[in-house]
């Protein structure tokens, strides 16, 4: 059986990625950091192993943020030309890489009946963002460390 390959990229097209296989999970994060970095109510991160994701472009840029809560870093990736969010890696979970659900060319495969999807950090959820009852919900992280 061939593994599915899901492609995506930034708005301007300078950065493209391909993710092979099924992600471990999808995390919809309502923390204040995700609200700020995305400019919306939450970040929707599809979580892959590093080895599943191919992404290379001279326009790919990174910014390392140190959490004032955990003291650990998260490194966001973005297109330096158009600024599109391209997911992140994090010190707390070595070897994984997230890709934002909205950056896939076709995200119809990201469904709550097919993948493990969790809402996390609901303690800072905006009251104008509705939650699907089909998705697990956690006040903080599902696996606090
Ligand atoms: Zn771009
Ligand atoms: Zn977050």
């Amino acid at each position: 059986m061939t593994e599915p390959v899901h492609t995506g990229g930034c708005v301007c097209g300078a950065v493209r990625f391909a993710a092979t296989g099924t992600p471990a999970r999808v995390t919809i994060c309502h923390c204040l950091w995700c609200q700020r970095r995305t400019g919306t109510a939450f970040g929707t991160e599809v979580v892959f192993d590093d080895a599943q994701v191919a992404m290379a472009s001279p326009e790919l840029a990174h910014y390392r943020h140190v959490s004032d809560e955990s003291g650990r870093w998260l490194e966001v990736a973005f297109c330096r030309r158009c600024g599109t969010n391209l997911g992140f890696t994090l010190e707390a979970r070595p070897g994984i890489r997230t890709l934002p659900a909205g950056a896939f060319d076709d995200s119809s495969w990201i469904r709550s009946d097919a993948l493990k999807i969790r809402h996390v950090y609901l303690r800072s959820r905006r009251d104008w963002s509705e939650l699907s009852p089909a998705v697990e919900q956690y006040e903080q992280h599902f696996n606090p460390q």
Side-chain angles (χ1 to χ4, degrees), residues 119-124 137-141:
H119 284 284
V120 301
Y121 286 102
L122 291 176
R123 65 184 181 185
S124 47
Q137 302 179 11
Y138 297 83
E139 277 304 300
Q140 296 186 52
H141 199 268

Side-chain angles (χ1 to χ4, degrees), residues 9-15 59 78-84 86:
C10 67
V11 166
C12 80
V15 181
E59 301 295 347
F78 57 95
C79 174
R80 76 172 81 243
R81 194 192 292 172
C82 71
T84 298
L86 293 163

